[in-house]
């Protein structure tokens, strides 16, 4: 590892030391999540190889199961299997599961909740574009039996400001983990030589000046009038009311567009429409 770079493990422990009385559970949970995403990253880089493992092709189905649907399921299983046994979580909520997943009674239940999308933008797998994992950690509400009593779906319905931490892992040319615990955003790059995330993008801030935006232009006919007007003003470039040229992109992967905005500025639009 290059001299001066800090691993995610050291980063989280140092953050804990700034809060007297911390138990270390949160640091351990963040590192468990990071480990899970490293395993997902290995599967994603295998593409169709990983996607074909265990796939049952039913001739009656047309088209056959896609690689990205198989990797959706694989990624979800990894996230659940790697985090539920640790004793830090009370329940999990996944974009791939229709209901919450309480930690089994065979494991100790902890004081945190984990919500995640195991493979955001997974349709991009089929065309080898960036995808990622999105996650959020919340505190499990205390009830009569304490934070470790039986969790419910309502436990996850908390305001965003109540999150303990939130972030995403981007699987692109490099695997990156972007994390916030409420006081700034830090970015880590996976160093495959040592198998650890290292801090490479400290204190990330969206640039104040930008010339890019992301929106799915195919839905223009369904946009509300103010959204349509805003996009048209950007597209008019130097000849329009904003008097500058803009770039428009749409990766269909929130993690990829978010990281682009964090590093180069811009805005990501997924507006309400008339449908």
């Amino acid at each position: 590892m290059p001299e001066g770079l800090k691993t995610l493990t050291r980063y989280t422990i140092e953050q804990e030391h700034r809060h007297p009385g911390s138990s270390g559970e949160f640091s351990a949970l963040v590192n468990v999540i990071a480990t899970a995403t490293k395993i997902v990253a290995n599967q994603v880089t295998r593409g169709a190889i990983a996607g074909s493992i265990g796939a049952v092709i039913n001739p009656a189905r047309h088209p056959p199961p896609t690689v990205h649907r198989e990797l959706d399921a694989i990624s979800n299983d990894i996230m659940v299997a790697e985090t539920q046994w640790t004793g830090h979580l009370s329940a999990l909520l996944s974009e791939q599961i229709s209901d919450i997943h309480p930690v089994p009674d065979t494991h100790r239940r902890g004081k945190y909740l984990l919500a995640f999308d195991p493979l955001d933008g997974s349709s991009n797998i089929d065309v080898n574009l960036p995808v990622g994992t999105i996650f959020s950690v919340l505190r499990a509400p205390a009830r009569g039996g304490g934070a470790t009593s039986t969790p419910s779906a309502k436990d996850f319905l908390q305001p965003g400001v109540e999150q303990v931490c939130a972030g995403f892992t981007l699987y692109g040319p490099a695997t990156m983990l972007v994390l916030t615990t409420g006081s700034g955003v830090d970015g880590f790059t996976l160093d495959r030589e040592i198998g650890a995330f290292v801090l490479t993008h400290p204190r990330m801030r969206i640039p104040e000046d930008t010339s890019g935006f992301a929106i799915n232009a195919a839905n223009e006919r369904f946009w509300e009038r103010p959204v349509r007007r805003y996009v048209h003003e950007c597209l008019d470039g130097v000849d329009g009311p904003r008097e500058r040229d803009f770039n428009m992109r749409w990766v269909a992967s929130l993690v990829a567009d978010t990281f682009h905005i964090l590093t180069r500025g811009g805005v990501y639009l997924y507006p309400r429409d008339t449908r």
Side-chain angles (χ1 to χ4, degrees):
M1 183 177 71
E3 185 178 354
L5 291 182
K6 183 184 299 185
T7 66
L8 176 65
T9 300
R10 176 178 171 182
Y11 170 91
T12 53
I13 291 174
E14 289 181 350
Q15 292 292 318
E16 288 272 2
H17 288 171
R18 295 191 177 99
H19 298 84
S22 297
S23 64
E25 287 187 66
F26 174 68
S27 294
L29 176 58
V30 170
N31 281 282
V32 165
I33 294 170
T35 297
T37 63
K38 284 189 280 188
I39 298 172
V40 173
N42 283 340
Q43 295 299 320
V44 168
T45 57
R46 299 175 72 198
I49 298 172
S52 64
I53 295 175
V56 178
I57 305 300
N58 183 349
R61 289 179 60 180
H62 184 75
T66 59
V67 171
H68 81 260
R69 294 193 188 282
E70 296 297 334
L71 278 169
D72 272 333
I74 291 171
S75 301
N76 184 78
D77 291 346
I78 291 170
M79 291 294 293
V80 172
E82 291 298 314
T83 59
Q84 69 175 355
W85 63 269
T86 61
H88 307 310
L89 296 175
S90 175
L92 300 89
L93 178 64
S94 169
E95 194 265 347
Q96 289 292 310
I97 304 174
S98 59
D99 202 352
I100 69 165
H101 176 84
V103 169
D105 293 334
T106 52
H107 301 306
R108 180 171 67 88
R109 284 182 180 158
K111 59 184 179 181
Y112 295 109
L113 304 168
L114 174 63
F116 61 93
D117 181 348
L119 204 58
D120 168 65
S122 58
S123 60
N124 284 337
I125 288 286
D126 298 329
V127 290
N128 205 24
L129 288 174
V131 295
T133 298
I134 306 170
F135 59 88
S136 169
V137 176
L138 300 158
R139 288 185 177 85
R143 289 182 288 273
T148 58
S149 58
T150 304
S152 69
K154 291 182 180 179
D155 294 345
F156 287 89
L157 301 179
Q158 301 182 38
V161 294
E162 297 297 327
Q163 295 175 103
V164 178
C165 83
F168 61 85
T169 305
L170 174 64
Y171 312 121
T175 296
M176 293 204 61
L177 186 149
V178 178
L179 178 72
T180 179
T181 58
S183 57
V185 177
D186 293 300
F188 303 79
T189 301
L190 179 60
D191 185 338
R192 294 187 179 274
E193 291 187 359
I194 63 172
F197 283 105
V198 295
L199 181 62
T200 52
H201 294 64
R203 312 303 293 175
M204 299 181 74
R205 296 186 65 85
I206 298 173
E208 294 183 5
D209 188 41
T210 183
S211 59
F213 65 101
I215 192 168
N216 187 354
N219 293 328
E220 178 179 357
R221 65 191 186 279
F222 303 114
W223 295 341
E224 294 178 327
R225 186 173 298 174
V227 176
R228 194 177 304 172
R229 176 184 172 183
Y230 172 79
V231 172
H232 284 180
E233 288 181 355
C234 291
L235 294 176
D236 286 341
V238 294
D239 299 322
R242 307 198 67 185
E243 298 181 340
R244 66 182 301 177
D245 290 327
F246 288 83
N247 296 316
M248 181 172 65
R249 64 187 52 81
W250 180 257
V251 184
S253 171
L254 186 146
V255 291
D257 284 313
T258 299
F259 187 76
H260 191 280
I261 289 168
L262 279 171
T263 53
R264 294 192 177 180
V267 62
Y268 175 95
L269 299 167
Y270 203 114
R272 175 184 181 274
D273 60 39
T274 58
R275 286 172 296 182

